[in-house]
Amino acid sequence: RRVPSVRSHLLTTFHLGNYAQVRLAVSPPGSGAVEIQGLAIPSYPWAGTYFRDIPIEITARPHPGYRFTGWNGIAPEQPAAASVVLSGNIDVTANFELDCGAGSRVVINEVNYNAPDGADPGDWVELCNPVLTPVDLSGWTFRDESDEHVFSIPDGTRMDGGSYLVLCSNTKAFADLFPEVENHLGDLGYCLAGGGEWLRLLDGSGDIVDSLAYGVASPWPEEADGSGSTLALKNPFLDNAHARSWSASASGGTPGSKNDVFEEVEGDCGSAWMRFLRG
């Protein structure tokens, strides 16, 4: 009962205006996030209570591969970092669209962390560059939770737009099971944790380009834990930090190519990107 009591105390002590509800959403789902008064909102739709006649700061933050296009519910000319004075309840939606020129947007797209006995290619992770801009991976590293587990991607490694690259813990075992997949590198020198862990892709400056803390129990797809499936991202433009963005692949996964659980997302990056979506 403390929250309403403290709120009422503030209202009377500082002679503030009454309360107002702020409801937040993003469109399309997974394309970005909203911060309100510096608070990062983890899921949508979301609602919070604020005081009328007191400015609040609402900030739209696009996820990699997207750009902010405007607001619904507040003045459309407001910038991504908007100041709003409440006169009543409001519903605010931050709108984003795909940005094909988004630069180095390489994402962790598929993970094989626990293959069944008899069909085990070793642990592997698939990277995807879904934008049209080629990316030079020279100096990049891939790591798990341990800073001692570092795989350095060879200098000169390049990912063209719409391409994939598989990082293997055991290249021989991988090639034996997937002889047709040539776009792979290894050996990692370490294996992925069977109980879930944090994976990181870092650029040459040591900055995290993408990371994933996967789990093995619901809401994460449980079929990827020893049943023959992999963790497969439904679309490389979805936020891969959320379990809902992942599904269990068909048996064995699709290393080096588009995931078999692929779902299109809203947006249009021109004919070249759309050909990749439908490919």
Side-chain angles (χ1 to χ4, degrees), residues 155-171:
D155 288 346
T157 302
R158 171 189 169 101
M159 292 187 70
D160 292 330
S163 68
Y164 301 85
L165 179 66
V166 182
L167 307 180
C168 310
S169 63
N170 187 326
T171 52

Side-chain angles (χ1 to χ4, degrees), residues 24-46 57-71 79-82 92-97 237-239 241-242 244:
L24 299 176
V26 298
S27 179
S31 59
V34 180
E35 291 181 2
I36 181 166
Q37 296 292 86
L39 173 69
I41 305 305
S43 61
Y44 306 90
W46 178 92
E57 302 296 323
I58 304 177
T59 304
R61 299 199 181 280
H63 287 159
Y66 285 86
R67 57 173 171 250
F68 174 69
T69 60
W71 300 99
V92 178
T93 299
N95 298 298
F96 305 92
E97 67 180 7
F237 277 100
L238 293 175
D239 185 353
H242 296 299
R244 63 176 178 269

Side-chain angles (χ1 to χ4, degrees), residues 5-275:
S5 296
V6 172
R7 187 179 290 131
S8 177
H9 176 72
L10 293 171
L11 188 78
T12 56
T13 301
F14 296 104
H15 308 290
L16 302 176
N18 211 335
Y19 310 126
Q21 285 282 311
V22 179
R23 290 178 286 269
L24 299 176
V26 298
S27 179
S31 59
V34 180
E35 291 181 2
I36 181 166
Q37 296 292 86
L39 173 69
I41 305 305
S43 61
Y44 306 90
W46 178 92
T49 302
Y50 292 84
F51 294 107
R52 300 188 186 192
D53 304 320
I54 301 294
I56 59 173
E57 302 296 323
I58 304 177
T59 304
R61 299 199 181 280
H63 287 159
Y66 285 86
R67 57 173 171 250
F68 174 69
T69 60
W71 300 99
N72 290 344
I74 59 177
E77 67 272 12
Q78 288 268 25
S83 180
V84 180
V85 178
L86 301 175
S87 59
N89 299 337
I90 57 171
D91 291 274
V92 178
T93 299
N95 298 298
F96 305 92
E97 67 180 7
L98 292 172
D99 182 4
C100 287
S104 302
R105 191 193 192 280
V106 178
V107 300
I108 299 171
N109 191 60
E110 191 172 5
V111 179
N112 180 69
Y113 65 87
N114 186 17
D117 295 337
D120 188 359
D123 296 341
W124 53 266
V125 172
E126 179 191 75
L127 308 179
C128 175
N129 174 22
V131 299
L132 302 181
T133 306
V135 179
D136 184 356
L137 304 187
S138 298
W140 289 33
T141 59
F142 178 76
R143 311 182 185 201
D144 63 7
E145 287 188 5
S146 172
D147 285 331
E148 297 179 359
H149 292 167
V150 180
F151 175 73
S152 298
I153 298 177
D155 288 346
T157 302
R158 171 189 169 101
M159 292 187 70
D160 292 330
S163 68
Y164 301 85
L165 179 66
V166 182
L167 307 180
C168 310
S169 63
N170 187 326
T171 52
K172 182 181 184 306
F174 181 86
D176 287 345
L177 201 60
F178 298 105
E180 74 285 358
V181 180
E182 298 180 354
N183 50 335
H184 68 271
L185 296 173
D187 294 339
L188 292 179
Y190 56 90
C191 296
L192 307 182
E197 67 174 331
W198 186 36
L199 306 179
R200 298 170 287 168
L201 179 66
L202 291 78
D203 63 18
S205 299
D207 295 326
I208 293 179
V209 176
D210 191 33
S211 66
L212 166 66
Y214 68 90
V216 299
S218 181
W220 291 89
E222 298 179 1
E223 299 89 340
D225 188 15
S227 298
S229 297
T230 62
L231 283 179
L233 192 60
K234 297 176 184 177
N235 189 293
F237 277 100
L238 293 175
D239 185 353
N240 63 4
H242 296 299
R244 63 176 178 269
S245 299
W246 295 83
S247 183
S249 71
S251 181
T254 56
S257 59
K258 187 175 71 174
N259 293 343
D260 53 20
V261 296
F262 185 87
E263 296 179 1
E264 291 196 13
V265 297
E266 297 178 27
D268 185 355
C269 287
S271 58
W273 167 239
M274 294 308 289
R275 283 198 300 272

